[in-house]
């Protein structure tokens, strides 16, 4: 943690979370990223046990219950720190949220990582949505034979999309380990920047595609399975 | 979170829902998506003599995304290509009273307009003759 001045006694804070002079709790910096907060390296394959350990440890340090007898300012700080801690824990615990957070975090240093819209996927989705619309309209005043024909077609499409979801999951995992390899080899954020950005971009693309595919698969399941 | 009456109105009675044939002369198509929520929006314009004579949309997503694109097609009709390029998402936010979490829906609509305009311009450049024939028809 960067050294700063104690909000209470103005002495330099050398300890991590408490002032060494007056023992008052210090607010966590707004710039503190979740990985640093949880004492983890910026990797995607994280040590879940360590994450939980740190979370419990810091919760004990900051929990508002321990500050109910303290002054207002300390209570506010404990509340703010606990909130940040909870968000950090929840974000890093989930592998997808962790990756999305990492991309946001890293994109800050490389301006923006924005992927090209997947035009083919959009075309495919629009086509399927149109079939779904027809299917829905038939369910009220229906040509049953046409409905059955559509239902079968849509089910075939859904199965193909579900296979693609599985493929996307495994390519995403691959990207995660590619990131970790790069990050271990060159932990400085400026090192291997181009390679790192390429991996992040690939990750972002898969994550977005996954969202589009998930939506259409859900619509298919809901309407025509 | 409550939707504004205008959003609900556009959602229940969407204006200009539908589509044109992509290949048709003077038609510009924009298909965009919001990676955060997975909404997909298709917006098309039909241009004659540099003026947008018709616009259609199809949006698969939340009420705000549908309302934003429905409103966009209403605004596009009668505008010149240049005027259409000046439509800003903030105007859509204002008109529909969108809450902060739904601002990305208006951004999506602005992106769709831009993308449709670009597609139209690209097509017009590639086949200027076809364009003038379409204008005179």
């Amino acid at each position: 943690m960067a050294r700063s001045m104690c909000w209470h006694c103005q002495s330099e804070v050398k300890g991590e979370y408490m002032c060494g002079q007056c023992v008052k709790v210090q607010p966590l910096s707004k710039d503190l990223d979740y990985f640093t907060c949880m004492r983890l390296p910026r990797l995607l394959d994280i040590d879940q046990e360590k994450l939980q350990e740190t979370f419990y440890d810091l919760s004990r340090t900051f929990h508002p219950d321990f500050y109910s007898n303290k002054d207002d300012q300390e209570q506010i700080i404990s509340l703010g720190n606990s909130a940040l801690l909870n968000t950090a824990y929840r974000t890093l615990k989930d592998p997808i949220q962790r990756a999305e957070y990492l991309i946001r975090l890293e994109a800050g240093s490389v301006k923006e990582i924005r992927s090209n819209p997947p035009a083919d996927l959009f075309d495919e989705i629009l086509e399927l949505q149109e079939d779904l619309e027809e299917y829905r309209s038939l369910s009220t005043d229906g040509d049953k034979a046409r409905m059955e024909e559509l239902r079968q077609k849509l089910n075939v499409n859904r199965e193909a999309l579900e296979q693609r979801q599985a493929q996307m999951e495994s390519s995403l995992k691959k990207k995660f380990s590619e990131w970790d390899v790069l990050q271990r080899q060159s932990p400085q954020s400026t090192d291997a920047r181009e390679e790192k950005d390429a991996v992040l971009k690939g990750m972002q693309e898969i994550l977005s595609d996954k969202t589009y595919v998930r939506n259409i698969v859900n619509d298919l399941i809901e309407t025509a399975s | 979170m409550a939707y504004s009456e205008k959003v609900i109105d556009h959602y229940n009675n969407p204006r200009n829902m539908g589509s044109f044939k992509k290949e048709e002369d003077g038609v510009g198509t924009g298909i965009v998506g919001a990676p955060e929520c997975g909404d997909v929006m298709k917006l098309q314009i039909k241009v004659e003599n540099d003026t947008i004579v018709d616009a259609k949309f199809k949006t698969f997503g939340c009420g705000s995304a549908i309302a934003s694109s429905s409103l966009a097609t209403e605004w596009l009709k009668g505008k010149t290509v240049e005027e259409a390029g000046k439509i800003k998402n903030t105007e859509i936010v204002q008109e529909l009273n969108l809450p902060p979490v739904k601002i990305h829906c208006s951004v999506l609509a602005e992106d769709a307009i831009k993308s449709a305009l670009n597609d139209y311009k690209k097509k017009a450049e590639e086949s200027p003759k076809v364009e003038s024939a379409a204008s005179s028809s």
Side-chain angles (χ1 to χ4, degrees):
Chain A
M1 191 187 253
R3 288 185 180 181
S4 56
M5 209 164 68
C6 172
W7 58 271
H8 183 254
C9 70
Q10 271 86 43
S11 61
E12 194 189 357
V13 178
K14 289 180 183 145
E16 230 182 334
Y17 307 111
M18 305 292 166
C19 171
Q21 293 293 320
C22 67
V23 212
K24 299 269 184 199
V25 64
Q26 302 295 311
L28 291 171
S29 159
K30 291 270 172 294
D31 302 327
L32 185 70
D33 75 81
Y34 298 165
F35 289 97
T36 313
C37 175
M38 289 299 181
R39 302 171 189 149
L40 290 167
R42 223 177 256 197
L43 299 175
L44 289 169
D45 179 18
I46 62 164
D47 184 343
Q48 293 277 3
E49 262 174 48
K50 194 170 169 225
L51 173 68
Q52 191 148 21
E53 227 170 77
T54 311
F55 176 60
Y56 288 159
D57 179 23
L58 293 180
S59 294
R60 278 192 293 272
T61 309
F62 296 128
H63 200 285
D65 284 358
F66 303 131
Y67 292 84
S68 52
N69 297 327
K70 304 278 168 91
D71 65 41
D72 285 356
Q73 187 60 28
E74 285 174 280
Q75 289 190 26
I76 292 169
I77 292 170
S78 114
L79 209 61
N81 284 1
S82 296
L84 176 73
L85 189 62
N86 282 324
T87 318
Y89 176 66
R90 237 182 305 125
T91 308
L92 293 190
K93 197 170 183 269
D94 177 74
I96 299 298
Q97 283 192 47
R98 187 189 313 143
E100 284 171 345
Y101 175 72
L102 177 85
I103 293 170
R104 274 208 307 282
L105 200 60
E106 291 285 327
S109 59
V110 276
K111 292 238 154 119
E112 67 179 52
I113 294 170
R114 208 174 166 180
S115 53
N116 293 323
D120 292 346
L121 182 60
F122 286 168
D123 283 343
E124 211 176 313
I125 288 172
L126 288 170
E127 213 171 287
L128 283 169
Q129 288 288 8
E130 262 160 46
D131 285 344
L132 272 177
E133 266 178 12
E134 188 189 344
Y135 186 84
R136 284 192 201 103
S137 70
L138 286 170
S139 65
T140 47
D141 56 355
D143 175 346
K144 291 282 175 259
R146 171 70 184 142
M147 234 179 119
E148 183 53 28
E149 186 190 332
L150 261 179
R151 198 182 64 80
Q152 282 180 13
K153 183 185 161 205
L154 289 170
N155 272 324
V156 171
N157 283 318
R158 181 178 49 88
E159 275 161 26
L161 284 170
E162 282 169 344
Q163 270 180 23
R164 217 147 84 197
Q165 283 180 309
Q167 282 162 13
M168 284 192 282
E169 289 300 336
S170 62
S171 3
L172 195 57
K173 285 214 182 92
K174 227 197 246 156
K175 291 273 171 228
F176 286 178
S177 37
E178 278 173 38
W179 169 266
D180 286 2
V181 168
L182 277 172
Q183 189 73 353
R184 283 203 179 91
Q185 281 168 356
S186 16
Q188 295 297 324
S189 97
T190 43
D191 291 348
R193 197 63 247 179
E194 265 174 48
E195 284 119 299
K196 284 186 186 174
D197 285 348
V199 173
L200 291 171
K201 190 162 184 272
M203 246 185 254
Q204 176 64 65
E205 275 170 8
I206 301 169
L207 286 168
S208 320
D209 287 4
K210 251 171 60 106
T211 318
Y212 296 123
V213 172
R214 192 192 57 216
N215 278 9
I216 182 73
V217 166
N218 285 347
D219 283 351
L220 286 166
I221 291 172
E222 225 171 83
T223 313
S225 68
Chain B
M1 180 202 67
Y3 282 128
S4 71
E5 269 173 41
K6 278 175 182 162
V7 170
I8 293 168
D9 179 41
H10 275 281
Y11 181 74
N12 287 330
N13 313 291
R15 332 288 201 264
N16 312 307
M17 208 158 70
S19 53
F20 304 120
K21 282 215 166 63
K22 267 187 185 178
E23 316 75 53
E24 209 178 312
D25 295 333
V27 167
T29 304
I31 302 175
V32 293
E36 309 82 25
C37 57
D39 288 1
V40 178
M41 185 181 284
K42 176 163 103 168
L43 190 144
Q44 293 181 298
I45 50 169
K46 195 181 227 174
V47 183
E48 280 173 22
N49 294 322
D50 209 42
T51 300
I52 297 169
V53 293
D54 205 356
K56 289 202 183 299
F57 83 95
K58 271 199 174 179
T59 295
F60 301 97
C62 68
S64 302
I66 291 171
S68 296
S69 41
S70 169
L71 177 69
T73 54
E74 268 193 329
W75 280 356
L76 283 168
K77 283 195 207 177
K79 284 202 162 60
T80 65
V81 171
E82 203 200 328
E83 287 164 349
K86 288 181 189 153
I87 295 177
K88 289 273 166 304
N89 83 291
T90 46
E91 299 168 281
I92 297 173
V93 172
Q94 226 165 25
E95 174 69 20
L96 294 177
N97 228 328
L98 294 179
V101 291
K102 291 293 178 180
I103 286 176
H104 71 273
C105 300
S106 68
V107 174
L108 197 60
E110 186 187 320
D111 285 351
I113 295 173
K114 297 239 153 70
S115 161
L117 289 168
N118 283 341
D119 182 57
Y120 162 75
K121 285 176 195 159
K122 214 173 95 195
K123 267 171 77 178
E125 269 169 31
E126 276 164 13
S127 52
K129 273 178 202 157
V130 178
E131 161 52 16
S132 62
S135 312
S136 60
S137 69

